[in-house]
Amino acid sequence: MVPSRVRIGRWVAAARAAQKRPRVDGLGQPRRSESASTRAALYVHWPYCEKRCSYCNFNKYIPRGVEEGALRNCLVTEAQTLLRLSGVQRVDSVFFGGGTPSLASPHTLAAVLEAVAQEAHLPADSEVTLEANPTSAPGSRLAAFGAAGINRLSIGLQSLDDTELQMLGRTHSARDALRTLAEARRLFPGRVSVDLMLGLPAQKVEPWLQQLQKLLDHCDDHLSLYQLTLERGTSLFAQVQQGTLPAPDPDLAAEMYQQGRTILRDAGFRQYEVSNFARNGALSTHNRTYWQCGQYLGIGPGAHGQFVPRGAGGHTREARIQTLEPDNWMKEVMLFGHGTRKCVALSKLELLEEVLAMGLRTDVGVTHQHWQQFEPQLTLWDVFGASREVKELLARSLLLLDHRGLRCSWEGLAVLDSLLLILLPQLQEAWQQHRTPSPVSGG
């Protein structure tokens, strides 16, 4: 059942009053007022778009018509069901992604937030983010989203070059993007993030750097740089395969990334994660949950989640994927209360691999304290301290292992994938030795 507008209004009023909360200055440990096992972030997937972008292979659909009332009811129901199943008592952040969730009505977003607040503690100052495309989010609509409880925007700007935007299949122009960005900053000051892509076909370094410099004149305190990945099955992949477009040059993309992150550092941005930059403490608390391997619930068609089903008596973390196709997902939610299609229990080693790989994406890395929350016996020193290959990485100043923990240097963050090719096998080997008892004389 969708919560009443009166109850929605109560939560939204409290949330709006708390929007000017203190900034998050680091990626440290979560506050301990509640156990980590009873806390989670919540991701809500809106599966519909106006148009499929040429590079995108996400779970999205171009509908002839959307029965939003039915979809809203199912999002609310699934949120209630998974919160009860997980035993989560506090939701630290909510992220509406897609698809294009800015196509949803503000009432739908408010209904989901109120349902969450009824099932668990959703603090009034929780980060509540909405992904928005410039053409689907004019100023009046952005204001309505704010009234519904949204307090942070992530704008899919992608480029400030109209030719590139057309190649990407975007429905907005560079002018549209800057106009939406200005309105977003007026309504959500200090709480607007923008995405900029690099490594596109035929893209050159200098023009891209000029785009970044121009964006710095207009952006807020958070910016994400994403390198294009050509995904099989997309229009852009086919155009490159057929020779209609040149293949992206990985060396040029690496140069764009390296020069881009230097420009952002000089402009006062902290690179707190491989692709994410913030100043004035404007770090994303929702994404921090992913990087620190916290629990998160995935609501909506194709959403992913990871949590321990304590409400059902479970003790092992599970990776869960919801049914992809919206109509089938809704049928399952109406029958069973949720549309979980796949559920896989994670082994202890698999979880440690995620702790390592996700934690090293951040500038804080994996602290000893954080590692011990997942593995109290096998320390980071035990795993990596005696490794010859790891010592070489330390000597080359790509990696640091000290009293704080394990983390990448500024140079190391740029080549994290190659570092993980060394570190993950080292973890697997140490884990195997740890699990294998030493032979006993006479045994």
Side-chain angles (χ1 to χ4, degrees):
M1 180 179 179
V2 175
S4 71
R5 290 180 185 270
V6 174
R7 291 199 301 272
I8 291 172
R10 289 175 187 157
W11 184 86
V12 168
R16 294 179 69 190
Q19 271 194 22
K20 294 183 179 179
R21 63 179 176 82
R23 292 289 198 175
V24 176
D25 289 323
L27 283 167
Q29 307 308 316
R31 291 163 291 181
R32 307 310 298 175
S33 55
E34 290 91 356
S35 164
S37 65
T38 62
R39 305 172 68 137
L42 188 94
Y43 173 80
V44 184
H45 190 75
W46 176 268
Y48 300 117
C49 283
E50 295 175 306
K51 177 185 178 184
R52 182 174 289 277
C53 298
S54 64
Y55 59 92
C56 182
N57 74 336
F58 290 172
N59 184 44
K60 57 174 59 176
Y61 301 84
I62 316 301
R64 295 179 180 175
V66 177
E67 295 182 17
E68 186 167 350
L71 183 64
R72 179 190 307 132
N73 287 340
C74 288
L75 289 172
V76 165
T77 297
E78 187 165 68
Q80 293 169 333
T81 300
L82 294 187
L83 282 167
R84 293 167 189 166
L85 179 64
S86 65
V88 165
Q89 298 173 15
R90 175 185 174 119
V91 174
D92 291 317
S93 63
V94 181
F95 192 102
F96 291 92
T100 308
S102 50
L103 292 174
S105 72
H107 180 55
T108 290
L109 309 187
V112 173
L113 292 174
E114 179 63 21
V116 172
Q118 288 180 337
E119 290 294 332
H121 178 43
L122 180 64
D125 64 348
S126 295
E127 180 185 275
V128 182
T129 303
L130 174 72
E131 284 185 344
N133 280 348
T135 50
S136 63
S140 59
R141 194 163 178 81
L142 291 180
F145 287 133
I150 300 299
N151 58 29
R152 182 176 182 272
L153 291 177
S154 177
I155 298 178
L157 184 144
Q158 313 309 359
S159 174
L160 288 178
D161 182 285
D162 285 341
T163 301
E164 290 179 354
L165 289 169
Q166 291 173 6
M167 175 181 65
L168 294 171
R170 304 295 287 176
T171 58
H172 67 270
S173 66
R175 184 179 179 184
D176 294 331
L178 293 178
R179 184 167 53 240
T180 299
L181 178 54
E183 187 66 10
R185 292 187 64 190
R186 184 182 71 81
L187 293 167
F188 302 89
R191 303 178 72 90
V192 180
S193 178
V194 292
D195 298 344
L196 185 66
M197 296 182 71
L198 59 89
L200 306 183
Q203 194 174 49
K204 302 300 182 185
V205 174
E206 279 306 317
W208 182 81
L209 292 175
Q210 290 170 12
Q211 284 190 51
L212 179 59
Q213 291 282 12
K214 182 177 181 180
L215 186 56
L216 285 175
D217 294 332
H218 298 273
C219 74
D220 204 348
D221 291 334
H222 194 282
L223 196 148
S224 300
L225 299 182
Y226 293 117
Q227 183 175 345
L228 171 71
T229 301
L230 284 178
E231 301 285 0
R232 188 177 298 275
T234 63
S235 169
L236 203 58
F237 180 90
Q239 292 177 67
V240 171
Q241 288 291 100
Q242 295 162 4
T244 308
L245 289 172
D249 186 324
D251 293 332
L252 289 182
E255 186 177 349
M256 290 176 202
Y257 177 73
Q258 196 64 23
Q259 292 197 38
R261 66 202 288 255
T262 301
I263 287 172
L264 290 171
R265 181 175 62 179
D266 293 344
F269 282 81
R270 166 186 167 189
Q271 184 179 11
Y272 71 100
E273 193 267 346
V274 169
S275 299
N276 287 275
F277 303 78
R279 62 187 172 191
N280 300 322
L283 286 67
S284 167
T285 58
H286 183 84
N287 286 340
R288 178 178 59 181
T289 298
Y290 299 146
W291 300 323
Q292 292 195 325
C293 278
Q295 296 191 118
Y296 57 97
L297 311 184
I299 309 300
H304 290 227
Q306 276 196 23
F307 61 86
V308 178
R310 298 183 186 278
H315 299 283
T316 303
R317 185 181 292 212
E318 296 176 347
R320 304 169 74 95
I321 303 176
Q322 308 310 98
T323 293
L324 292 173
E325 202 280 322
D327 289 343
N328 291 335
W329 170 81
M330 284 194 282
K331 290 175 185 176
E332 292 176 19
V333 172
M334 287 186 281
L335 282 172
F336 309 115
H338 65 87
T340 303
R341 175 57 59 94
K342 186 177 182 181
C343 182
V344 178
L346 296 176
S347 71
K348 186 69 172 291
L349 175 58
E350 288 172 326
L351 189 53
L352 289 177
E353 288 171 342
E354 286 208 17
V355 171
L356 179 67
M358 298 301 284
L360 288 180
R361 291 185 65 88
T362 71
D363 61 347
V364 172
V366 183
T367 67
H368 293 295
Q369 179 186 359
H370 182 59
W371 180 265
Q372 288 167 6
Q373 291 177 7
F374 294 89
E375 174 46 56
Q377 295 181 319
L378 192 66
T379 69
L380 289 171
W381 290 110
D382 294 334
V383 177
F384 302 110
S387 166
R388 179 181 58 81
E389 291 176 303
V390 172
K391 288 179 179 178
E392 288 181 4
L393 297 178
L394 298 173
R396 293 166 57 193
S397 298
L398 295 175
L399 205 62
L400 295 94
L401 177 61
D402 55 22
H403 66 283
R404 289 165 54 186
L406 182 70
R407 63 194 180 280
C408 294
S409 65
W410 165 263
E411 294 78 15
L413 269 183
V415 291
L416 174 60
D417 287 350
S418 63
L419 302 187
L420 289 175
L421 292 176
I422 296 171
L423 297 173
L424 286 171
Q426 183 63 40
L427 170 59
Q428 293 156 4
E429 180 181 345
W431 179 256
Q432 188 62 38
Q433 292 175 354
H434 172 66
R435 300 282 290 177
T436 304
S438 300
V440 178
S441 177

